[in-house]
Amino acid sequence: MPLDYVKFPYQAVYPGDDEVTADSIFSGITTFARLPWVQCLGKDKDAAFDVAFIGAPFDTGTSYRPGARFGPSGIRAGSRRLTLYGGYNVPLEVNPFLSGLKIVDCGDIPVTPYDNKHAIKQIEDGHKALLHRQTFSTLGNDTFTGKALKPISTDGKNHPRVITLGGDHTIVLPILRSIYTAYGAISVIHFDSHLDTWKPQVFGGAPSDQAAINHGTYFYWASQEGLIKNGSSIHGAIRTTLSGPADYANDDASGFQRIEAREIDTLGTDGIIKKIRETVGDKPVYLSIDIDSIDPAFAPATGTPETGGWSTRELRTILRGLDGLHIVSADIVEVAPAYDTNAELTTMAAADVLFEVLSVMAKTPLSKVVD
């Protein structure tokens, strides 16, 4: 294949059906799945896209093991072999990289490690700058009815999707603040071994206003700020210990329903998918995935590991079951590569999880038919 061959001017070379695969995917600068690197927050600040990957290298809100600031680079390294055989997702019957969407890797938001308050503002501003960018593709008309499509956002604009590579889970508070500016209060699907809705006076004791915002309290604050749509948000893979039953009462008040990790033994993946879909309905949804929702046997490199989690295969199956939902943006967090094996178990799992998320996004535009 000629060195200057580029099938699409804005994409890396992704082989299609019956084309050459198993090329030298380990060469070149490491971006997510070999996507083109666009300096979205720098010289390419006006570039349009449909889906952007962006890193948020922040980990000073963690309570146990630090290191997730290196998560974005680790996840990108784990994604190198995603397109080794072309990128076609067999269960979902789509190749997201050849779906006609312009998908880019925007690098990382520059995040200070010295000042949490400023870092959280940097993440919000960086995410918002991407979210309010012009999309590359237009909505057009519905395939079946031929009627015009209109955006599902509250501001009436067609927004691109942003997939954030964390970073510890604190980053979701500034992201939800950004999401609110386009979609209002949003339904949340949250895969995690922990609730992350703890009251600050319980989780960490809140010795200062800034310490009260951390990776165990960000959903509490999001709920208090009205960023979450109560009753249509749900946790999955929960299996943490608690301070007591009051933690679940507080979680209820924060607007979440729960699926315990152990319920996979009784509900199965189909039952879990059904419960998630019934909870969210057809509402716009934000998807947040903590890598510790996967059992540490499969993904050991995380800040607060908990045994008894789901396998990588189970989580990927559940994510594929979200096909058709309007996922407006997503993240994967708490990947701390320093605790991984040389085989890159965790970073590969994180990359593969995002491949499923991207595939679901590629199949469902953020639109509805005009009545």
Side-chain angles (χ1 to χ4, degrees):
M1 185 173 291
L3 290 176
D4 61 350
Y5 173 73
V6 179
K7 189 169 184 179
F8 301 103
Y10 57 83
Q11 289 185 321
V13 179
Y14 293 110
D17 197 16
D18 206 29
E19 293 183 345
V20 175
T21 64
D23 201 3
S24 57
I25 61 164
F26 43 80
S27 60
I29 296 172
T30 303
T31 61
F32 187 88
R34 303 180 71 218
L35 289 167
W37 175 42
V38 177
Q39 297 181 52
C40 306
L41 300 176
K43 69 179 184 65
D44 301 317
K45 62 180 181 300
D46 296 322
F49 48 78
D50 298 310
V51 182
F53 286 83
I54 187 75
F58 171 93
D59 67 1
T60 47
T62 191
S63 57
Y64 189 49
R65 300 194 306 202
R69 68 182 64 182
F70 300 107
S73 60
I75 296 165
R76 290 186 177 103
S79 75
R80 282 179 296 204
R81 14 71 53 205
L82 263 181
T83 57
L84 177 62
Y85 304 110
Y88 181 76
N89 189 319
V90 176
L92 287 175
E93 300 180 328
V94 66
N95 186 332
F97 305 107
L98 297 179
S99 62
L101 298 176
K102 182 176 179 180
I103 309 171
V104 300
D105 189 329
C106 290
D108 292 348
I109 299 170
V111 177
T112 179
Y114 304 115
D115 183 331
N116 279 16
K117 183 177 181 178
H118 185 63
I120 288 171
K121 187 65 167 60
Q122 286 177 306
I123 294 168
E124 179 183 351
D125 291 346
H127 190 278
K128 193 185 299 180
L130 301 185
L131 183 67
H132 288 273
R133 192 74 53 90
Q134 179 69 37
T135 57
F136 180 81
S137 303
T138 57
L139 288 177
N141 297 327
D142 181 61
T143 303
F144 299 103
T145 66
K147 294 182 178 180
L149 294 172
K150 65 178 181 180
I152 61 172
S153 61
T154 56
D155 65 4
K157 297 178 181 178
N158 185 23
H159 294 274
R161 285 149 153 155
V162 182
I163 299 177
T164 310
L165 313 176
D168 76 49
H169 227 145
T170 312
I171 69 168
V172 171
L173 178 58
I175 290 173
L176 289 177
R177 288 170 175 167
S178 171
I179 292 290
Y180 185 86
T181 64
Y183 294 95
I186 194 81
S187 300
V188 175
I189 299 174
H190 172 227
F191 294 110
D192 199 322
S193 61
H194 308 95
L195 297 172
D196 295 356
T197 54
W198 278 285
K199 292 180 179 179
Q201 58 265 38
V202 173
F203 196 91
S208 68
D209 289 344
Q210 197 50 52
I213 301 173
N214 56 60
H215 76 161
T217 64
Y218 63 92
F219 272 142
Y220 169 84
W221 291 113
S223 176
Q224 292 293 305
E225 293 177 20
L227 308 178
I228 297 173
K229 191 177 287 293
N230 276 12
S232 61
S233 296
I234 190 166
H235 305 295
I238 298 298
R239 58 190 187 277
T240 184
T241 57
L242 303 174
S243 70
D247 290 347
Y248 273 175
N250 179 63
D251 191 58
D252 294 340
S254 296
F256 281 90
Q257 298 188 46
R258 293 177 295 277
I259 300 173
E260 305 281 345
R262 63 181 182 272
E263 289 185 81
I264 201 163
D265 296 325
T266 53
L267 297 177
T269 55
D270 286 346
I272 289 172
I273 292 167
K274 182 174 183 289
K275 186 171 181 178
I276 293 172
R277 296 184 74 99
E278 288 175 348
T279 302
V280 174
D282 61 355
K283 301 175 184 65
V285 63
Y286 182 80
L287 175 61
S288 184
I289 305 168
D290 192 319
I291 197 65
D292 72 21
S293 56
I294 301 175
D295 191 275
F298 304 96
T302 187
T304 317
E306 303 283 357
T307 61
W310 294 342
S311 69
T312 310
R313 182 179 65 189
E314 289 164 343
L315 180 57
R316 293 183 68 176
T317 298
I318 292 166
L319 289 170
R320 289 194 293 267
L322 306 184
D323 185 18
L325 295 186
H326 290 105
I327 300 174
V328 302
S329 283
D331 67 69
I332 193 159
V333 297
E334 299 287 353
V335 175
Y339 309 105
D340 216 349
T341 71
N342 290 338
E344 301 178 310
L345 291 179
T346 312
T347 54
M348 284 195 301
D352 287 353
V353 161
L354 290 184
F355 174 64
E356 303 294 355
V357 173
L358 182 63
S359 297
V360 170
M361 287 180 171
K363 294 183 66 178
T364 308
L366 297 180
S367 60
K368 56 187 175 182
V369 177
V370 177
D371 296 328

